[in-house]
Amino acid sequence: MSTSFKTFKRCINIGVLTIALFMAGITVECFAQEIGNDSRAVMEKPVMQTTSPDTLIGPSPKPKAQSQAQAPVNEEAEAAIAAERALSQVSVVATGYTAGIESTGKRPGHKLYGITYSGVKVQRSHVSTIAADPKVFPIGTLMYVPGYGYAVVADTGSKIKGKKIDLYFETKKQVYKQWGKRKVTVQVLKKGEGKLTEAKLKSLNSAVLAQKRIPANLPES
């Protein structure tokens, strides 16, 4: 009986110990799981807080798409307005030139560098200066050139005869890359009177800048 009792007691102790270890294992596992969950939350939280929407999804492409779509629409609108106000339409061959030696034979520093036949300085602006045959387009003639914009005849050229025009650009690279040589139909908005002043050119540019198009009543000064 004594041996049996000892054996029974030993079994009970082993069982209790097993249960205790089993329960301890569950507790340790749960505790470890909770620690693991907390650690992942801490790692994710700074990412969500410090990462901006642009970094996650990229900048919205809509503004770029709109700006790209607006350019041709504005050009078409200007062309339509010019066509409505045009006194005449003339098909011409248009080339490009600069104020440099390759076009005018003059270098920077020359007293007449950048000075046109009319006396005004060349410019690429809201209303740019161009060269033409004064027998076809007198100095001061205002026109719209598709792909180039508003222009006023300010200059002449030995090779610019008949229905040819020469468009001013600031660099040779712009001439070749942006224009080259084209056949275009220009809209003549006002026939020149054979003269052009800096004041008149400035007023034309100011008017276009203010209204974003050639005004209905062109400035006379």
Side-chain angles (χ1 to χ4, degrees):
M1 294 292 293
S2 176
T3 301
S4 299
F5 179 75
K6 289 180 179 180
T7 301
F8 177 74
K9 186 176 181 181
R10 188 181 297 118
C11 290
I12 291 176
N13 290 336
I14 292 173
V16 171
L17 181 59
T18 300
I19 294 172
L21 290 174
F22 179 75
M23 296 300 296
I26 294 176
T27 302
V28 171
E29 184 178 356
C30 292
F31 179 72
Q33 185 175 0
E34 289 179 359
I35 292 176
N37 290 338
D38 289 342
S39 299
R40 184 167 59 250
V42 170
M43 291 177 65
E44 292 175 354
K45 189 173 182 180
V47 174
M48 295 301 293
Q49 287 184 340
T50 59
T51 305
S52 67
D54 286 348
T55 304
L56 290 173
I57 62 175
S60 173
K62 290 184 178 180
K64 291 184 179 180
Q66 290 176 351
S67 62
Q68 291 174 354
Q70 286 173 357
V73 170
N74 289 340
E75 186 175 340
E76 289 178 3
E78 285 186 346
I81 293 172
E84 289 179 359
R85 299 178 181 175
L87 300 177
S88 62
Q89 299 181 353
V90 183
S91 294
V92 300
V93 174
T95 52
Y97 80 105
T98 71
I101 190 170
E102 65 280 350
S103 296
T104 66
K106 302 179 181 67
R107 298 180 183 274
H110 191 286
K111 63 179 182 179
L112 295 179
Y113 179 80
I115 304 301
T116 64
Y117 177 82
S118 66
V120 304
K121 190 173 179 62
V122 292
Q123 66 173 265
R124 181 76 172 100
S125 188
H126 303 287
V127 179
S128 302
T129 54
I130 65 173
D133 184 344
K135 294 180 180 180
V136 180
F137 302 112
I139 297 294
T141 297
L142 182 66
M143 65 179 69
Y144 179 81
V145 183
Y148 183 76
Y150 296 112
V152 62
V153 177
D155 212 350
T156 61
S158 58
K159 296 182 180 180
I160 308 302
K161 301 299 180 182
K163 295 181 179 180
K164 295 181 180 179
I165 60 176
D166 215 9
L167 313 179
Y168 172 71
F169 289 90
E170 295 178 344
T171 66
K172 288 190 296 182
K173 184 177 180 180
Q174 291 175 345
V175 172
Y176 296 130
K177 188 175 181 179
Q178 297 180 17
W179 194 261
K181 182 178 181 180
R182 306 183 192 180
K183 290 183 178 180
V184 294
T185 299
V186 301
Q187 314 289 340
V188 179
L189 302 172
K190 184 178 181 180
K191 188 174 182 179
E193 299 176 351
K195 62 180 181 179
L196 180 66
T197 64
E198 288 286 358
K200 176 65 176 294
L201 183 57
K202 183 178 180 180
S203 65
L204 284 172
N205 274 284
S206 297
V208 174
L209 177 62
Q211 299 187 28
K212 306 303 180 185
R213 63 186 64 177
I214 206 73
N217 298 319
L218 296 173
E220 296 296 333
S221 59

